[in-house]
Amino acid sequence: MMQQIKTNNREETVEAARQIGLSLQAGDVVCLTGGLGAGKTAFAAGLAQGLEVEDYVTSPTFTIVNEYQGRLPFFHFDVYRVYDPEALYEIGFEEYFERGGVVCIEWPNLILDLLPPRYIDIQIQVPEAAAHPDEREIIVRRPELI
Ligand code: ADP
Ligand code: MG
């Protein structure tokens, strides 16, 4: 199933993500693809709101992962600076998928070999014909039910 969302500012992106966050279940994985400044971390913050996380969500770029507690655990990865996938093994990356929470990953395209087989795929971009710089186009693809 594919859904296309247009947003005009950060708040609208957070709200679109919050709506998705409301429906997330234990074991779900959300991959956020988009360039620097596209709004991946803003989207992650919205997912966290939908999961009833009360903490302020910040970019885990330098820490690789931030953990939050809401109605489910929320594990927010940013693998932009993971130059060597060995570093992910060292922090037990694969185990996060078994911890009964929601895993969210920024820059999943850098670790394609390490992704689980099924995840919610979010693509965020500034449309080519954007009328103003705060426009974003967000495409949500959910794995088929089996
Ligand atoms: P990323 O994690 O993709 O690098 P961030 O979420 O950290 O991006 O930053 C996105 C930046 O773009 C923020 O400064 C935010 O205020 C701004 N912005 C402008 N318009 C939007 C929008 N429609 N959705 C999300 N962020 C937006
Ligand atoms: Mg980010």
Side-chain angles (χ1 to χ4, degrees):
M1 173 264 201
M2 185 184 126
Q3 185 187 3
Q4 204 169 344
I5 305 164
K6 294 249 188 196
T7 67
N8 293 297
N9 52 53
R10 184 181 188 279
E11 291 65 38
E12 287 183 13
T13 294
V14 171
E15 174 56 20
R18 188 185 71 82
Q19 295 287 342
I20 291 169
L22 291 173
S23 70
L24 292 174
Q25 297 173 4
D28 282 346
V29 178
V30 183
C31 289
L32 303 177
T33 303
L36 279 174
K40 300 179 296 299
T41 299
F43 198 95
L47 293 176
Q49 283 186 19
L51 288 164
E52 296 164 35
V53 170
E54 289 180 6
D55 290 349
Y56 186 72
V57 170
T58 55
S59 176
T61 302
F62 292 97
T63 52
I64 304 181
V65 61
N66 287 340
E67 305 191 14
Y68 303 91
Q69 189 63 54
R71 65 179 168 81
L72 295 169
F74 182 59
F75 306 112
H76 178 201
F77 286 83
D78 181 333
V79 301
Y80 188 62
R81 280 168 209 281
V82 177
Y83 300 115
D84 179 2
E86 275 296 314
L88 284 178
Y89 286 110
E90 278 164 24
I91 64 165
F93 181 67
E94 290 166 316
E95 284 141 46
Y96 282 89
F97 300 105
E98 317 294 331
R99 288 172 58 177
V102 169
V103 173
C104 171
I105 307 168
E106 296 190 35
W107 297 99
N109 48 305
L110 300 181
I111 56 160
L112 284 179
D113 292 349
L114 302 179
L115 299 179
R118 296 160 63 76
Y119 53 83
I120 301 171
D121 172 28
I122 311 277
Q123 309 271 343
I124 309 177
Q125 57 179 27
V126 181
E128 265 179 38
H132 62 87
D134 290 354
E135 271 184 38
R136 297 292 187 276
E137 186 174 82
I138 303 169
I139 296 173
V140 181
R141 291 187 184 84
R142 292 177 184 270
E144 302 299 327
L145 296 172
I146 43 172

